[in-house]
């Protein structure tokens, strides 16, 4: 029984280490985290741009970077993945 627990613990530890390595490899900029946090609140790109005092073009630029780094194609999945990975809260 103790050997099984040790093996299970080790497997969980390995998964946590792999997750930490992936999270470390994905580095969102502060601006990208801000944009993503506002997306998580359900704000549109125009609303985000207005709140941040930038153009919608700038928000689209940040979203493109987010999608690329997280390997996703839409804001809902980006928010979900970033939250799961602990990149945003």
């Amino acid at each position: 029984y103790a050997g099984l627990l040790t093996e299970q613990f080790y497997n969980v530890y390995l998964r946590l280490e792999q997750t930490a390595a992936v999270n470390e490899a994905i580095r969102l900029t502060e601006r990208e985290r801000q944009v993503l946090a506002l997306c998580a609140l359900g704000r549109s790109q125009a609303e985000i741009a207005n709140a941040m005092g930038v153009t919608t073009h700038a928000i689209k630029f940040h979203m493109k970077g987010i999608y690329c780094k997280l390997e996703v194609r839409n804001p809902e999945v980006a928010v979900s993945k970033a939250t799961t990975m602990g990149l945003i809260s």
Side-chain angles (χ1 to χ4, degrees):
Y1 181 75
L4 179 61
L5 284 178
T6 303
E7 183 179 339
Q8 289 174 339
F9 175 77
Y10 182 71
N11 289 336
V12 168
Y13 173 78
L14 284 179
R15 281 194 304 271
L16 288 173
E17 284 292 308
Q18 290 168 345
T19 301
V22 168
N23 289 353
E24 185 66 25
I26 298 174
R27 295 187 184 268
L28 297 178
T29 66
E30 182 62 29
R31 232 23 181 172
E32 288 169 339
R33 284 193 301 276
Q34 291 170 346
V35 169
L36 207 46
L38 290 170
C39 277
L41 296 175
R43 304 286 167 81
S44 69
Q45 288 185 358
E47 291 171 324
I48 295 169
N50 188 47
M52 296 178 72
V54 298
T55 65
T56 55
H57 179 76
I59 299 306
K60 289 177 185 178
F61 174 82
H62 291 303
M63 292 303 295
K64 183 177 177 183
I66 292 165
Y67 294 166
C68 210
K69 290 176 184 180
L70 296 179
E71 298 177 342
V72 299
R73 293 179 181 234
N74 66 59
E76 293 82 12
V77 177
V79 167
S80 176
K81 189 169 183 178
T83 302
T84 300
M85 295 177 75
L87 298 172
I88 60 170
S89 51

